[in-house]
Amino acid sequence: MSDATMTEQTIQKEVVGFVVSDKMTKTIVVEVSRRMRHPRYHKVLTKFKKFYAHDEKEEANIGDKVRIIASRPLSRLKRWTLAEIIAKAEQVEKVKV
């Protein structure tokens, strides 16, 4: 195939997860879960992985459901960027006793 006949299409990796930390400046930690079946015992397992993502406007909070996309390395751990906030978490006020 020649380059002229190929359509240019950028395929970016994207994952959906929940924000577990927003304490860093312009950085959030997103936990992504996936379910898989054990190859031998056939039990369904839930595996978790944490990703560090860049949040330029600092708009994501703990508990928000977000979509992140892969990007160039921004720091030692950050390789993802916040694409959108899918659902905001309910903010529960602490009751003083």
Side-chain angles (χ1 to χ4, degrees):
M1 285 189 190
S2 66
D3 292 330
T5 59
M6 293 175 52
T7 58
E8 290 189 23
Q9 182 177 355
T10 58
I11 300 172
Q12 291 183 330
K13 287 186 180 180
E14 61 179 40
V15 292
V16 176
F18 290 93
V19 178
V20 293
S21 175
D22 63 348
K23 293 184 179 184
M24 293 174 274
T25 306
K26 295 188 180 182
T27 303
I28 56 174
V29 181
V30 179
E31 186 176 67
V32 176
S33 64
R34 65 182 178 96
R35 293 172 61 85
M36 61 166 288
R37 187 172 295 274
H38 191 277
R40 175 176 285 174
Y41 301 114
H42 305 294
K43 179 178 179 178
V44 177
L45 305 171
T46 304
K47 295 212 172 193
F48 297 96
K49 182 155 174 132
K50 289 183 182 176
F51 296 99
Y52 288 77
H54 184 68
D55 182 9
E56 181 67 36
K57 299 175 186 172
E58 296 187 7
E59 53 193 8
N61 295 317
I62 294 176
D64 292 351
K65 187 175 184 179
V66 296
R67 181 163 30 114
I68 56 176
I69 56 174
S71 66
R72 65 181 177 85
L74 299 169
S75 70
R76 186 173 68 96
L77 296 174
K78 277 200 293 190
R79 270 90 171 122
W80 297 83
T81 304
L82 177 67
E84 71 170 324
I85 298 174
I86 297 171
K88 295 292 264 181
E90 289 185 20
Q91 298 296 326
V92 180
E93 294 183 25
K94 295 182 180 179
V95 178
K96 294 182 181 179
V97 181

